[in-house]
Each structure stands twice: as structure tokens, then as C-alpha cells.
């Protein structure tokens, strides 16, 4: 009993923002953390998976080829063809890799020993969102020219003239300024909140277990059960957010390629 | 207001209340999105696959506002207390 009390006192409670800043590994502060290793591992695994799967493609696929093909097929059919349409084949490789990378780094949040997603740090989602942002502007400018692209971005031709002074600033801000912000904050905040929820229920369970009151010790069971349930929910959220991130990237590309609204 | 609450023994960050307020609109919005999807699927079951992408898009759009509230609740956590 005294062990659990000591344990509970050592635990960080309540969960706060500081819990997301991990110490450096091997004494290398600030530039080698668990996040660095996790991101590099994700990069290596994805490169190996996709290059090996497609090096010797067979009619009867191996397990790796089957997995790579089903992910590619899922992104192509349910995101590429559904949203972008006939130009989709140019963007599906990017979207597939984006989906896999975001899903991989998200799922770290519930993998034992990793236990936290790199996407709980805003820099990672922001970088991914900026790649998508630069990309949809680039394909739009390449297809229609800069003037036409930015005109299509901010000007709604069907709206009445007297509304335009109101609409153009709104469209400008929502389409060109805050798009990378909303795209990245959505992913970041989901992962951040998910990790925080897991901390609340797991550490909270230990805190309740270490409480002096006998009834409160019993309540810790509920807390641990909720932690398990929320872990399963986080697995769902991790994949869903990767899907949404790629879906919105595809939508932005489609909007940039469309002739007019 | 913080002083009044503190005088009554309530402590914490006002940002949490702000997040609660910020979650009302998106909560209603997400509910409407899923209600509309269920209704559309019930009326036209074969359209379920067609509208699924828009379901998640609409869900993500409305949810973003609540997440802004969450992020800002942490951003202003120290300043408010």
C-alpha cells in the first residue's frame, strides 16, 4: 500500500503541457528525442515497405505487396477518384505516402514504449500541411497561370456584385491564409487531446489507487477500464485523422485544378 | 470574475470554460452532419458510399472549431489564472 502512495506522488499530476516535452536521449538534449527516432523509423519503414513491395511485383502478391497495394488502392479509389477525378493518378502516390506517414506517426500514440505521437508537436503537422499548401497552389498556378489561379481562389463568379467586397476578403483569408493552419491544427489538436485523455485516465487511475479513501481505490478500476476504451478509440481517431488530412489535401488540389467554382 | 470564483474556493483556468463554450457550436454542427448522413443513407441506401467522403469532410470542418478552442485553452492557460 505504501508503495502505491509513493508511486502516485511521483507521477505528474495533473497532466499538463510540460508532459509533451520529453528529455533528450543519450544526453543529447534538444536535438535527439524520442520524436526524432519515431519519425525516422516511420520514414525508413515506409520507404522499405513500398520499394520492396514493388521491386518484384507478382501476380499472386506476397504479404508486403498485398498490404502496399491495398493501401494504395484505398487511397486511389476512396480519395483520389472520389475527390480529384480523372487527374487523380498524378497525385495518388503523394496522397498514399502522406496517408501512410500520418497514420504511422499517429498510431505511435498507442504503441507501447512509443506512447506518444510526434504529431502532438505542432511543427510536424504544420510541415505536412505546408507541403500540401504549396502543392495545391503550385498545381493550380501551373495549370491556369498565377493570375487565374488566385482569382479562382478568392472570387465567386455567381455571387451578386454587392456581396463581393465582403466575400473576397473572406475567401482570401479562408482559402489562402488559414488553410494550412486549419489543416495542421486539426491533426495536432486531435493527437494532443488524445494523449491528454490517455494521461488523465491512466495517471488518474494510479492517483485513485494511491488514495487513502478505500472507495476511491475501487473507482480506479473504472479509470483503467476507460483508459483501455480510450486507447481503442485513439486507434480509430489516428486512422480517421490521417484519412481526413489526406481527404482535405485532395479537396484542395481538386479546387486548384477545377476550371471554376 | 476570476476573483469572485477564487473567493468562493473555485480555482483553475478560465480557458477551460472558454473551451466548453467553444465546443457547443461544433457539437451541434457535428450532430447535424451525422444526422444528415444517416437520413440520406436511409432514404437512398445506395448513396452511402458516394456521400461518405463528404460526411468526413463536413465532420472535419465543424470539428476544427472545437479543436481551435482546445488549442487556445492551452495557449492562454497561464495568462488567465
Amino acid at each position: 500500500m505504501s508503495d502505491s502512495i509513493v508511486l502516485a506522488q511521483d507521477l505528474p499530476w495533473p497532466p499538463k503541457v510540460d508532459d509533451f516535452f520529453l528529455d533528450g536521449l543519450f544526453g543529447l538534449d534538444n536535438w535527439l528525442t524520442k520524436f526524432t527516432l519515431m519519425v525516422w523509423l516511420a520514414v525508413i519503414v515506409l520507404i522499405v515497405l513500398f520499394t520492396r513491395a514493388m521491386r518484384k511485383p507478382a501476380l499472386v502478391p506476397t504479404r508486403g505487396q498485398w498490404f502496399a497495394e491495398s493501401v494504395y488502392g484505398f487511397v486511389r479509389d476512396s480519395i483520389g477518384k472520389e475527390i480529384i477525378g480523372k487527374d487523380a493518378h498524378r497525385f495518388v502516390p503523394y496522397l498514399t505516402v502522406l496517408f501512410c506517414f500520418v497514420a504511422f506517426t499517429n498510431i505511435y500514440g498507442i504503441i507501447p514504449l512509443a506512447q506518444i505521437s510526434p504529431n502532438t508537436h505542432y511543427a510536424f503537422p504544420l510541415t505536412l500541411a505546408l507541403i500540401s499548401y504549396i502543392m495545391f497552389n503550385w498545381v493550380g498556378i501551373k495549370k491556369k497561370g498565377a493570375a487565374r489561379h488566385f482569382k479562382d481562389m478568392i472570387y465567386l463568379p455567381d455571387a451578386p456584385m454587392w456581396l463581393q467586397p465582403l466575400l473576397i476578403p473572406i475567401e482570401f483569408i479562408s482559402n489562402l491564409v488559414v488553410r494550412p493552419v486549419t489543416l495542421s491544427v486539426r491533426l495536432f489538436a486531435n493527437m494532443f487531446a488524445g494523449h491528454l485523455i490517455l494521461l488523465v485516465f491512466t495517471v488518474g487511475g494510479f492517483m485513485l489507487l494511491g488514495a487513502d479513501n478505500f472507495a476511491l481505490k475501487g473507482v480506479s478500476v473504472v479509470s483503467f477500464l476507460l483508459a483501455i476504451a480510450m486507447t481503442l478509440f485513439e486507434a480509430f481517431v489516428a486512422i480517421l485523422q490521417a484519412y481526413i488530412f489526406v481527404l482535405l489535401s485532395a479537396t484542395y488540389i481538386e479546387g486548384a485544378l477545377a476550371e471554376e467554382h | 470574475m476570476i476573483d469572485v470564483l477564487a473567493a468562493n474556493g473555485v480555482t483553475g483556468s478560465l480557458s477551460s470554460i472558454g473551451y466548453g463554450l467553444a465546443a457547443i457550436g461544433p457539437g451541434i454542427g457535428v450532430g447535424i452532419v451525422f444526422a444528415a448522413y444517416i437520413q440520406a443513407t436511409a432514404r437512398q441506401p445506395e448513396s452511402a458510399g458516394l456521400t461518405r467522403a463528404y460526411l468526413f469532410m463536413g465532420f472535419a470542418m465543424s470539428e476544427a472549431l472545437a479543436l481551435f478552442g482546445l488549442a487556445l485553452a492551452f495557449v492562454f492557460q497561464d495568462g488567465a489564472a
Side-chain angles (χ1 to χ4, degrees), chain A residues 82 186 190 193 196 240 243-244, chain B residues 50 53 56 60 64 67 70 74:
Chain A
E82 189 86 6
R186 180 176 300 115
N190 264 294
L196 209 63
L240 179 71
Y243 172 71
I244 285 173
Chain B
L50 274 176
F56 285 117
L67 294 173
L70 180 72
F74 278 96

Side-chain angles (χ1 to χ4, degrees), chain A residues 150-161:
Chain A
F150 288 115
K151 178 179 161 276
D152 278 1
M153 278 279 137
I154 62 172
Y155 179 72
L156 296 171
D158 294 337
M161 256 350 246

Side-chain angles (χ1 to χ4, degrees), chain A residues 8-25:
Chain A
Q9 278 168 347
D10 288 342
L11 286 169
W13 184 264
K16 49 190 172 297
V17 180
D18 297 344
D19 297 336
F20 290 82
F21 292 93
L22 307 176
D23 295 333
L25 297 173

Side-chain angles (χ1 to χ4, degrees), chain B residues 2-62:
Chain B
I2 281 284
D3 294 336
V4 177
L5 288 172
N8 291 322
V10 179
T11 56
S13 172
L14 201 55
S15 324
S16 309
I17 298 173
Y19 170 59
L21 292 175
I24 295 173
I28 296 170
V30 168
I32 290 174
V33 167
F34 277 95
Y37 179 71
I38 292 166
Q39 204 164 48
T41 311
R43 288 176 182 225
Q44 197 85 39
E46 57 270 36
S47 79
L50 274 176
T51 47
R52 192 173 294 123
Y54 302 107
L55 163 76
F56 285 117
M57 212 183 289
F59 162 72
M61 292 287 177
S62 8

